Amino acid sequence: MSFEDQIAELKVRREQARAMGPVARHDKRREQGMMNARERVAALTDDDSFTEWGLLAVSSRSEDRNRSAADGYVSGYATIDGRDVVIHAADFTTLGASTSAIGDKKFHHAKDNANKNGVPLVLLNECAGSRIPDIMGAQGLHRAGEHSELWRDRSSPWAAAVLGLTYGDGSFYASMSDFVVMRKGAVLAVSSEHVTSVALAESADPAEFGGWEVQTTVTGVVDRAVDTEEEALEAIRRFLSYMPSHAGELPPRAERREAGGDPEELLTLLPESPKRAYDVRRILNVIFDKDTIFPLKERFAPVAFTGLARLAGEVVGVIAINPQFKGGALDADACNKIISLIVLCDSFNIPIITFGDTPGFMVGAAGERQKMPGRIMNYLQALGAATVPKLSVIMRKSYGQAHLNMGAGYCDEMAAWFTAEISLMGRQPAMNVLHRLRPGDTPEEYERLEAQIARDTSAYALADAFMAQTVIDPRETRDWLIRMRRLHQRKLTGGIGARRLACWPTTW
């Protein structure tokens, strides 16, 4: 065969592979306003930066060779905002991007290339689960497990988008990722309704067990839900802008921005009465660099705010208790949410800043049924094991065990606002326990004893014993954090932590 003929054959094979599935399926997706896999990759990556591998791969089964372009996945290397990434995108038009022997090899090639070269892995998910002819039978199922190697040491960040029906391996890979964004209308579940309706006699709408509302508010698997695919891709782009390319380097620095607001606003946003609630997110927006707060799992366990932000241009992880929800009392889901942020930060050398205002953990029958002692200890062990710099700010209430979980004894530096109150419990329960007095009982005596308790639980009592390193005016918070962050850079290790939590389970 002449070179001309070989060149022509290569061109035809490439064109057939890039066409993906049947034209009718592409037409239907366009009517629904959905991109195909290649359009998603192009929209996410820098122009002309994508180099594909496996373009000419097809199914290992002879009967599927002519209808399995790239075996259902668009996979390769590219750049996003000039930084290297590996991308693995499901092509739902080709056999539903169902998991198969060759498609699975492509995923593991992508994963391994990201890990050994220290670049982020981006997963664009929309897949129908396992391809029955490939997986059914003893050998097919066992072969799938032989080459999985799906444990993670978080050597590089993973970011996943759930952009359509996502079952089987797609759901597993998403749940293993460090950031998951989901388009409203998509579904994330282990099995489709076609399986559950027969195996479990369940006929529920997939949205009821795998829709965005379930995955963002009930399970917390998904970090963010968005309306469009474009928004999902932008969320991935922004998440990666906070992350190092791999665990052996620091997060990317940015030019120092101005604060998000005037510090004087803090005295307005924080009520003078400790009985009044407020939205801690408004306070954070004033303290951190303008327009840099990136919330994670915001709809899940909202009593705990977690997210990434920039402080004088440097990336930090933020944990803040929000009294607007449940009065600031932490429940089991909040513990899991906070652990997730601690694990992310410890794995990728991101300092942690906590803001405490909590009456403690949720107690009672409901809490105990959710294994609260174990959840609290998991949280505390994760915080203690993290070797990244940890700064703590006590804003108002810091009661009981929750005071320890907010950093007492586990942080590098602690500052207390002059409004802080630290105690085993609130004043009224303490009065009942210590003196068997309730509000209204012997008013003069009650007032005298309550004042004594208040004096012993003030920010100054904590500072007297050098348990907090300083008491500050709320308006001084940003400056104090910047100064302490400048000190706590871990220069002996170049800022790279021991990463003790890098193998912590992605879901537990």
Side-chain angles (χ1 to χ4, degrees), residues 53-96:
W53 51 65
L55 171 64
L56 302 181
V58 293
S59 171
S60 59
R61 302 180 67 86
S62 58
E63 65 270 28
D64 287 336
R65 289 181 62 84
N66 293 328
R67 63 190 191 110
S68 55
D71 210 25
Y73 284 89
V74 177
S75 194
Y77 154 80
T79 61
I80 296 176
D81 295 331
R83 299 174 64 200
D84 296 339
V85 296
V86 167
I87 295 180
H88 189 67
D91 168 24
F92 201 76
T93 71
T94 300
L95 300 176

Side-chain angles (χ1 to χ4, degrees), residues 422-485:
I422 304 92
S423 182
L424 178 63
M425 62 189 73
R427 296 181 197 176
Q428 292 184 8
M431 287 289 291
N432 188 43
V433 171
L434 291 175
H435 305 294
R436 295 296 188 268
L437 291 175
R438 297 172 180 265
D441 297 343
T442 56
E444 292 185 4
E445 181 69 1
Y446 189 97
E447 184 176 341
R448 183 183 68 81
L449 293 173
E450 185 182 36
Q452 181 65 45
I453 289 175
R455 183 165 60 253
D456 293 341
T457 61
S458 71
Y460 302 106
L462 205 63
D464 284 347
F466 196 56
M467 293 176 175
Q469 279 64 60
T470 186
V471 176
I472 61 174
D473 181 319
R475 295 170 294 181
E476 299 168 339
T477 306
R478 176 178 168 87
D479 182 64
W480 181 81
L481 289 172
I482 291 172
R483 290 171 183 267
M484 290 302 98
R485 174 66 192 114

Side-chain angles (χ1 to χ4, degrees), residues 349-482:
N349 312 307
I350 300 173
I352 298 170
I353 301 177
T354 64
F355 293 83
D357 186 355
T358 175
F361 292 99
M362 295 290 285
V363 295
E368 301 304 337
R369 290 192 184 103
Q370 291 185 296
K371 302 184 292 187
M372 280 303 293
R375 308 277 186 172
I376 293 168
M377 287 299 101
N378 276 356
Y379 172 1
L380 195 64
Q381 288 176 53
L383 185 65
T387 58
V388 293
K390 290 170 282 193
L391 306 177
S392 179
V393 178
I394 303 301
M395 300 183 295
R396 289 199 315 190
K397 299 173 185 175
S398 192
Y399 293 169
Q401 175 65 41
H403 178 63
L404 308 185
N405 286 67
M406 291 310 297
Y410 293 86
C411 61
D412 296 289
E413 305 284 344
M414 175 176 281
W417 285 359
F418 52 59
T419 50
E421 182 181 351
I422 304 92
S423 182
L424 178 63
M425 62 189 73
R427 296 181 197 176
Q428 292 184 8
M431 287 289 291
N432 188 43
V433 171
L434 291 175
H435 305 294
R436 295 296 188 268
L437 291 175
R438 297 172 180 265
D441 297 343
T442 56
E444 292 185 4
E445 181 69 1
Y446 189 97
E447 184 176 341
R448 183 183 68 81
L449 293 173
E450 185 182 36
Q452 181 65 45
I453 289 175
R455 183 165 60 253
D456 293 341
T457 61
S458 71
Y460 302 106
L462 205 63
D464 284 347
F466 196 56
M467 293 176 175
Q469 279 64 60
T470 186
V471 176
I472 61 174
D473 181 319
R475 295 170 294 181
E476 299 168 339
T477 306
R478 176 178 168 87
D479 182 64
W480 181 81
L481 289 172
I482 291 172

Side-chain angles (χ1 to χ4, degrees), residues 283-357:
I283 285 177
L284 300 178
N285 280 325
V286 171
I287 293 172
F288 291 101
D289 293 3
K290 187 176 182 180
D291 299 327
T292 65
I293 292 181
F294 186 78
L296 297 171
K297 304 186 190 304
E298 193 166 26
R299 293 174 58 89
F300 179 67
V303 64
F305 173 90
T306 61
L308 301 170
R310 288 189 181 275
L311 180 69
E314 292 194 0
V315 176
V316 294
V318 181
I319 300 167
I321 309 307
N322 197 341
Q324 192 177 46
F325 303 94
K326 298 186 176 182
L330 295 167
D331 56 17
D333 285 343
C335 291
N336 286 349
K337 177 178 178 177
I338 292 171
I339 292 170
S340 179
L341 192 280
I342 295 172
V343 169
L344 177 70
C345 292
D346 187 65
S347 299
F348 294 109
N349 312 307
I350 300 173
I352 298 170
I353 301 177
T354 64
F355 293 83
D357 186 355

